């Protein structure tokens, strides 16, 4: 008979001073229609509010666009901007037809300035046309277990059924943050990229205020449409990484800070060595 040895167990445990009244205050004070916080590695839920209801997600859609563009392209490849990527409604980096930019430059335009035109350019560069790229987005969603998500565009402007849940978006973000290039891009506060049809560069400033206002924040994406409301996906890393999603959140910055504070204040991560605890037990103060 083969012996099975568990080399490492990852365990989250609530601190012994956990205050349920405080937890209820946090829940009642969150303005978001839907919210969740998970630990990135284990995907353990640390906080949730209506986390499984389907809602539009605006430009947080671009998290999927970015990770697919990274995984399916040589990011240093230079492309010619097609006509379809010019004049796309909404937020823009003002691409011009025939302009030449690298995939990596478009990725910064996508995630820092939330360029809808950059999203279209990346979709076409990756799959040949927007429709094929949207199919790739939905295929990837199924692979990741995002069963309550449907994409209809690469930028978040709805062109048919287009929705997700806070839980699905957290799953996607936990996956994307494992990619070092993605993590580097979304943690960048500002950068300049070329504007090859002009004699000066584009200056891109990240719209995500969490990068400047919250200790440990290193991503990920803001979003807004009238229908979706204010949406924010945040990654923050201290002793462990928390992915926080708030959808349709009138006070998305405060909501996110409160949820992250709650997560870091009430959870600790323990690595249990099988060498020292052969049965997988660990002593927990004031508990059985």
């Amino acid at each position: 008979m083969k012996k099975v040895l568990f080399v490492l167990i990852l365990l989250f445990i609530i601190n012994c001073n956990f205050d349920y009244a405080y937890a209820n205050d946090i829940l009642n004070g969150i303005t978001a229609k839907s919210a969740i916080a998970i630990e990135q590695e284990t995907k353990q839920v640390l906080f949730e509010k209506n986390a499984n209801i389907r809602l539009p997600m605006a430009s947080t859609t671009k998290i999927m666009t970015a990770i697919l563009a990274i995984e399916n392209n040589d990011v240093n490849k230079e492309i010619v901007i097609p006509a379809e990527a010019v004049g796309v409604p909404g937020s823009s980096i003002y691409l011009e037809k025939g302009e030449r930019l690298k995939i990596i430059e478009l990725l910064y335009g996508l995630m820092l300035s939330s360029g809808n035109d950059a999203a279209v350019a990346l979709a076409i560069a990756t799959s040949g046309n927007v429709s094929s790229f949207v199919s790739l987005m939905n295929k990837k969603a199924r692979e990741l277990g995002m069963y309550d998500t449907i994409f209809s565009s690469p930028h978040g402007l709805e062109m048919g059924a287009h929705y997700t849940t806070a839980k699905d978006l957290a799953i996607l973000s936990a996956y994307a943050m494992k990619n070092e290039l993605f993590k580097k891009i979304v943690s960048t506060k500002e950068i300049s990229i070329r504007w090859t049809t002009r004699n000066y560069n584009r200056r891109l400033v990240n719209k995500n205020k969490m990068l400047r206002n919250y200790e440990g924040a290193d991503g990920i994406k803001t979003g807004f449409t009238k229908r979706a409301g204010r949406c924010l996906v945040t990654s923050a890393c201290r002793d462990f990484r928390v992915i926080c999603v708030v959808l349709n959140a009138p006070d998305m910055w405060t909501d996110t800070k409160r949820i992250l504070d709650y997560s870091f204040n009430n959870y600790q991560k323990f690595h249990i060595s099988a060498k020292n605890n052969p049965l997988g037990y660990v002593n927990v103060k004031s508990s059985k």
Side-chain angles (χ1 to χ4, degrees):
M1 180 181 293
K2 291 183 178 180
K3 293 182 179 180
V4 179
L5 175 64
F6 293 94
V7 178
L8 182 67
I9 298 172
L10 298 177
L11 174 69
F12 269 83
I13 191 159
I14 299 174
N15 285 350
C16 58
N17 63 349
F18 183 75
D19 186 338
Y20 285 97
Y22 170 63
N24 288 332
D25 286 344
I26 288 288
L27 181 63
N28 293 333
I30 297 301
T31 69
K33 188 171 184 179
S34 175
I36 196 170
I38 66 170
E39 190 275 331
Q40 181 197 20
E41 191 173 355
T42 62
K43 298 183 180 64
Q44 178 166 332
V45 175
L46 310 179
F47 174 90
E48 61 181 324
K49 174 187 176 183
N50 301 326
N52 292 301
I53 61 173
R54 295 175 175 180
L55 294 170
M57 63 288 210
S59 284
T60 61
T61 298
K62 291 166 182 160
I63 297 169
M64 179 64 90
T65 301
I67 193 63
L68 286 176
I70 291 169
E71 291 179 344
N72 291 280
N73 289 290
D74 171 1
V75 297
N76 291 309
K77 180 179 72 175
E78 190 174 77
I79 67 166
V80 178
I81 302 302
E84 297 94 323
V86 177
V88 181
S91 53
S92 176
I93 60 170
Y94 306 104
L95 292 175
E96 298 177 12
K97 182 182 177 181
E99 182 180 0
R100 304 184 71 91
L101 284 173
K102 293 181 178 181
I103 297 291
I104 186 65
E105 293 174 306
L106 290 167
L107 284 163
Y108 278 108
L110 178 79
M111 298 306 283
L112 273 66
S113 297
S114 201
N116 291 341
D117 49 356
V120 172
L122 287 167
I124 294 172
T126 303
S127 298
N129 59 68
V130 171
S131 178
S132 295
F133 186 78
V134 169
S135 295
L136 184 63
M137 296 171 79
N138 287 309
K139 179 183 177 184
K140 188 70 172 184
R142 300 291 88 77
E143 290 173 358
L144 292 176
M146 300 168 62
Y147 300 120
D148 287 303
T149 297
I150 291 181
F151 295 104
S152 65
S153 77
H155 37 57
L157 299 179
E158 296 173 38
M159 302 169 70
H162 193 95
Y163 57 79
T164 191
T165 66
K167 180 181 178 181
D168 276 6
L169 205 48
I171 290 171
L172 170 62
S173 301
Y175 170 80
M177 286 299 286
K178 293 179 180 179
N179 184 286
E180 291 300 319
L181 179 57
F182 180 92
K183 188 161 61 175
K184 178 182 178 182
I185 291 168
V186 298
S187 65
T188 299
K189 295 183 178 70
E190 65 177 84
I191 196 171
S192 291
I193 64 170
R194 295 178 300 162
W195 201 327
T196 56
T197 55
R198 304 189 185 188
N199 59 3
Y200 51 86
N201 291 333
R202 292 177 171 88
R203 178 174 172 266
L204 309 178
V205 178
N206 202 319
K207 295 182 177 183
N208 187 358
K209 296 178 182 179
M210 296 298 292
L211 296 177
R212 298 170 178 84
N213 298 332
Y214 193 83
E215 179 188 350
D218 57 0
I220 298 176
K221 190 71 187 74
T222 62
F224 174 78
T225 63
K226 287 183 178 180
R227 184 164 176 266
R230 300 194 180 279
C231 304
L232 178 62
V233 181
T234 302
S235 165
C237 190
R238 293 183 183 176
D239 293 332
F240 53 92
R241 182 181 302 282
V242 177
I243 304 295
C244 177
V245 179
V246 294
L247 298 177
N248 200 337
D251 194 358
M252 66 181 186
W253 307 113
T254 301
D255 282 356
T256 298
K257 289 177 182 178
R258 293 181 72 181
I259 294 170
L260 288 173
D261 284 345
Y262 167 82
S263 299
F264 288 123
N265 290 339
N266 288 282
Y267 288 86
Q268 289 178 279
K269 188 173 186 178
F270 294 90
H271 294 264
I272 305 173
S273 169
K275 180 179 178 181
N276 298 324
N277 299 277
L279 298 179
Y281 291 105
V282 65
N283 292 325
V284 180
K285 185 178 178 181
S286 300
S287 295
K288 293 181 180 180

